[in-house]
Amino acid sequence: MAFLHAQIEGKIAVITINRPPANALSQELLLELDEMLTEFSTNDDVRVIVIRGEGKFFCAGADIREFTTIGSQEKAYELARNGQQLMDKIEQYPKPIIASIHGAALGGGLELAMGCHIRLVSENAKLGLPELSLGIIPGFAGTQRLPKYVGEQKALEMMITSEPISGTEACQYGLALRAFPEEKLFEETMKLAEKFASKSPASVKAVINLLKYTKTEQFAEGIEQEAKWFSEVFRTEDAKEGIQAFIEKRKPNFVGK
């Protein structure tokens, strides 16, 4: 089943996530996105990618129900590494990728958005990494990218409290570029995308490629450690309790095991 809809408008490919009710990132959806990006990377008619969500949300996170099918620490590690590699592919993509965020970008949804080159948001959007409320941790490089944008203190507060910030606040902290009223968000996103598309593809690719040198060597080490800690935490009793509590729509009882 296709969870993504792609439409080319001028030289802009608009990828819409359509997996009701919350556009959760299933492993199948992530694979579909990976394949679509590979296809567009060699399409000379596409110079810019816009990623947006259908319905009420950009993306409200990973598919938590899928987590109940992960039976081993090794599978949890593999899940994290696969997600990290896709987010890295997005960040190093040769064409600009703009995330157009309304409603909510939470957990894996925010990690997807942070992989994009630009984030434009609705003023009332909610952005956060609430994984600790499930007894687990971010696993798609969120622990490494969020501090880069909002600073270590704010990132730590956001992750440990699991409380999101608004689109307006995201701009103030540097997590998003600009915020707009929700009804104007897509129009403004396309205006920026058109400006990007008007530039020489070779020069745009060069600038994007040069951005990777701003990363420290510790980033690669950091996401490797994140995957290890994700798999380690994932096997705890608290993680099982947190995931089950989310599915049952109740407050989890973490016992520290």
Side-chain angles (χ1 to χ4, degrees):
M1 180 179 178
F3 297 119
L4 302 176
H5 171 71
Q7 182 174 341
I8 298 177
E9 301 183 23
K11 293 189 179 297
I12 304 162
V14 179
I15 298 175
T16 303
I17 304 169
N18 187 10
R19 189 171 184 258
N23 293 333
L25 297 179
S26 65
Q27 293 179 63
E28 189 178 350
L29 189 155
L30 291 171
L31 180 60
E32 189 180 342
L33 178 57
D34 192 356
E35 292 172 349
M36 191 172 284
L37 290 173
T38 298
E39 180 184 335
F40 282 138
S41 67
T42 56
N43 184 339
D44 292 338
D45 292 329
V46 173
R47 293 187 180 181
V48 183
I49 309 281
V50 169
I51 300 179
R52 65 194 295 253
E54 185 66 48
K56 294 181 179 180
F57 302 103
F58 172 76
C59 172
D63 188 338
I64 305 304
R65 290 186 181 277
E66 273 194 357
F67 285 0
T68 62
T69 67
I70 299 172
S72 68
Q73 189 173 345
E74 290 73 24
K75 288 290 185 184
Y77 176 83
E78 183 181 330
L79 171 70
R81 288 302 280 165
N82 288 342
Q84 290 172 354
Q85 287 164 11
L86 176 57
M87 303 316 158
D88 214 42
K89 175 176 180 172
I90 291 169
E91 190 172 59
Q92 297 185 38
Y93 201 70
K95 304 174 184 184
I97 301 182
I98 303 172
S100 187
I101 301 165
H102 78 290
L106 301 172
L110 180 56
E111 289 173 308
L112 168 62
M114 287 193 293
C116 297
H117 301 112
I118 300 280
R119 284 157 297 286
L120 300 180
V121 295
S122 63
E123 294 166 343
N124 59 354
K126 299 297 181 187
L127 294 82
L129 296 179
E131 285 88 348
L132 269 72
S133 65
L134 277 68
I136 57 175
I137 65 170
F140 292 171
T143 64
Q144 302 304 294
R145 286 199 175 94
L146 186 61
K148 182 175 76 169
Y149 294 119
V150 306
E152 287 186 8
Q153 291 186 94
K154 187 61 183 176
L156 195 60
E157 180 192 42
M158 288 175 65
M159 287 187 283
I160 294 181
T161 66
S162 300
E163 294 170 0
I165 58 176
S166 69
T168 301
E169 289 174 313
C171 291
Q172 293 168 354
Y173 284 108
L175 182 55
L177 179 63
R178 277 190 283 277
F180 303 98
E182 188 169 322
E183 64 273 14
K184 291 188 175 182
L185 173 63
F186 184 63
E187 176 189 346
E188 294 294 337
T189 301
M190 294 302 284
K191 283 182 183 178
L192 182 61
E194 285 162 6
K195 289 181 181 179
F196 285 5
S198 70
K199 296 297 188 289
S200 159
S203 61
V204 171
K205 180 180 179 179
V207 169
I208 290 174
N209 191 53
L210 287 164
L211 286 178
K212 70 183 180 185
Y213 293 102
T214 64
K215 275 187 183 177
T216 66
E217 292 179 4
Q218 286 181 306
F219 185 87
E221 183 182 344
I223 60 172
E224 168 67 21
Q225 289 300 318
E226 181 190 79
K228 288 181 178 178
W229 276 106
F230 178 84
S231 64
E232 185 78 24
V233 172
F234 198 88
R235 70 188 182 96
T236 64
E237 290 180 24
D238 277 351
K240 293 182 178 66
E241 162 64 11
I243 291 166
Q244 198 59 40
F246 178 87
I247 292 170
E248 295 173 3
K249 295 182 169 57
R250 61 175 173 83
K251 188 175 180 178
N253 178 31
F254 296 132
V255 297
K257 296 181 181 179

